[in-house]
Amino acid sequence: LFVMADEALFQFLHNEVIQYIYKSSEHGEMENGRCITKLENMGFRVGQGLIERFTKDTARFKDELDVMKFICKDFWTCVFKKQIDNLRTNHQGIYVLQDNKFRLLTQLSAGKQYLEHAPKYLAFTCGLVRGGLSNLGVKSIVTAEVSVMPACKFQVMIQKM
Amino acid sequence: MSRQSNRTTDSKKMNAELFTLTYGALVTQLCKDYENDEEVNKQLDKMGYNIGVRLIEDFLARSSVGRCQDFRETADVIAKVAFKMYLGITPSVTNWSPAGDEFSLILESNPLVDFVELPDNHSSLVYSNLLCGVLRGALEMVQMAVEVKFSQDTLRGDNVTEIRMKFIKRMEENLPAGDE
């Protein structure tokens, strides 16, 4: 039985990209913010590219919630081989997507001391979501937080254009 | 790098595209960060090496391939198992040197370069150089020192992409450190 392991390859690349972005930076708030932004921007471009190529045949979405459900199901499954576990919204443009076992965090140790590094492993994906949404005609701000590894929440704030 | 998108995809290809697109974003970032192509090539090789030294464990765990008896077997495993597993392609193994210490992997298509065109001012860029580092790093972990380089590249106008691999020497297994 032959199984593709390209997901593993992406994870290795993702980790290496993070190391690269951070290795020449100095420590400190400003520099960390710059690195997070770089990672987020890379994710944004990739997210745009992914949507550009795979939604050609999908019918148009009937509303914003429909778009978010697509992100939670189809998009997340394609990228992370699983769906978002929980979607909540205040019906006023804020959505919280919960992934109880986020693939890109599972390799990080669960100890509390690693929690401070978790944002580095979320930045690219925040951009991915923002980029995907952008190409679906939705402008947003995406942030993420980890409370207990490897569960995390992505918060999407829709921006009225 | 400009792209032409003219094909539909199905979800099975999606994940491979995630890697391809991310790789493209990385190369773009490196081209911004470094003055010249040579530096970018070096950086890609280095990053590939870092990936390779970890990837080998992942590979050995998934493939249950045993220790290769010789370089020919290594070549076959790389082409038929590793490349297939991680990139979904099976390069052909050809152009063996008489001494049996050098061979080529011919890639009819290179998934990394789907939709990529090299701009004119990057003629020395070896776009897929990460792969050379990955192979070098992975083999080093199984005690083989090799030289890996692209000898043909479709991005630079060649008909095929050719990776040339040369066996340098067998490395000693790391022995436990003695008294400092």
Side-chain angles (χ1 to χ4, degrees):
Chain A
L1 182 67
F2 187 85
V3 183
M4 284 286 292
D6 46 1
E7 190 195 338
L9 194 55
F10 167 72
Q11 287 191 28
F12 282 112
L13 181 65
H14 177 256
N15 284 358
E16 199 50 37
V17 167
I18 294 170
Q19 299 312 313
Y20 167 75
I21 295 285
Y22 274 87
K23 78 160 182 196
S24 52
S25 72
E26 331 227 312
H27 297 288
E29 275 295 321
M30 279 279 288
E31 205 44 48
N32 186 53
R34 257 198 280 272
C35 293
I36 295 283
T37 299
K38 271 191 188 168
L39 287 165
E40 208 270 355
N41 284 335
M42 283 180 72
F44 180 79
R45 284 196 299 276
V46 174
Q48 285 187 308
L50 281 174
I51 290 288
E52 187 177 277
R53 292 194 238 176
F54 87 74
T55 56
K56 279 181 171 36
D57 299 325
T58 311
R60 202 107 36 90
F61 303 101
K62 60 182 205 276
D63 57 22
E64 191 178 274
L65 182 59
D66 231 25
V67 175
M68 293 310 300
K69 284 182 182 169
F70 171 82
I71 296 287
C72 292
K73 293 192 191 152
D74 302 71
F75 188 76
W76 218 256
T77 300
C78 281
V79 178
F80 298 113
K81 302 283 201 325
K82 68 181 285 289
Q83 296 189 10
I84 282 287
D85 295 301
N86 193 336
L87 171 69
R88 293 208 307 274
T89 179
N90 65 356
H91 296 288
Q92 281 170 28
I94 298 190
Y95 298 83
V96 179
L97 288 63
Q98 183 160 327
D99 189 326
N100 292 330
K101 204 172 169 190
F102 186 53
R103 288 270 198 258
L104 300 181
L105 284 178
T106 51
Q107 279 175 26
L108 271 191
S109 300
K112 267 213 159 83
Q113 69 269 37
Y114 295 103
L115 217 55
E116 68 167 288
H117 294 291
K120 301 176 186 177
Y121 292 84
L122 302 174
F124 183 87
T125 302
C126 287
L128 210 66
V129 174
R130 188 170 66 88
L133 284 171
S134 170
N135 263 28
L136 290 170
V138 176
K139 193 161 176 231
S140 65
I141 294 175
V142 183
T143 55
E145 60 173 28
V146 179
S147 42
V148 183
M149 300 257 242
C152 68
K153 291 183 184 156
F154 292 88
Q155 179 168 280
V156 179
M157 286 191 301
I158 308 294
Q159 310 285 291
K160 291 304 170 210
M161 301 219 257
Chain B
M1 321 275 158
S2 67
R3 299 190 191 126
Q4 321 124 22
S5 47
N6 56 1
R7 61 173 202 194
T8 53
T9 61
D10 60 279
S11 57
K12 186 155 177 261
K13 291 219 110 209
M14 268 291 306
N15 211 247
E17 294 192 351
L18 175 64
F19 177 79
T20 299
L21 288 169
T22 303
Y23 186 72
L26 169 65
V27 177
T28 301
Q29 183 68 46
L30 290 174
C31 288
K32 276 197 200 126
D33 293 344
Y34 290 95
E35 295 277 300
N36 62 63
D37 291 346
E38 264 318 304
E39 282 300 315
V40 177
N41 294 341
K42 251 197 269 182
Q43 198 59 226
L44 284 171
D45 180 78
K46 200 159 127 190
M47 292 177 74
Y49 177 86
N50 292 342
I51 291 173
V53 300
R54 292 183 181 86
L55 192 75
I56 184 72
E57 270 178 51
D58 184 84
F59 174 70
L60 292 174
R62 287 178 200 272
S63 67
S64 62
V65 164
R67 189 167 278 281
C68 291
Q69 295 303 316
D70 56 29
F71 204 45
R72 278 187 186 264
E73 211 184 316
T74 304
D76 277 346
V77 169
I78 290 172
K80 295 179 183 145
V81 190
F83 263 85
K84 179 105 178 107
M85 187 179 282
Y86 291 109
L87 292 174
I89 56 166
T90 308
S92 45
V93 178
T94 65
N95 293 353
W96 278 97
S97 63
D101 63 344
E102 218 176 318
F103 67 90
S104 290
L105 291 165
I106 308 279
L107 285 66
E108 298 292 329
S109 69
N110 178 357
L112 290 185
V113 308
D114 282 348
F115 309 125
V116 170
E117 280 172 24
L118 281 188
D120 289 332
N121 57 337
H122 286 289
S123 52
S124 305
L125 182 66
V126 182
Y127 183 86
S128 307
N129 214 36
L130 190 101
L131 291 184
C132 296
V134 173
L135 288 165
R136 190 168 59 85
L139 289 175
E140 193 176 296
M141 291 298 107
V142 288
Q143 281 75 52
M144 269 185 267
V146 293
E147 258 171 32
V148 190
K149 63 179 204 285
F150 278 88
S151 44
Q152 289 192 78
D153 191 350
T154 51
L155 274 190
R156 286 153 84 172
D158 299 310
N159 287 336
V160 292
T161 296
E162 180 181 359
I163 298 175
R164 192 85 187 137
M165 288 192 66
K166 184 180 169 130
F167 178 82
I168 303 298
K169 65 177 186 190
R170 193 153 282 279
M171 298 164 82
E172 297 300 320
E173 300 226 16
N174 283 329
L175 301 172
D179 291 327
E180 294 297 347

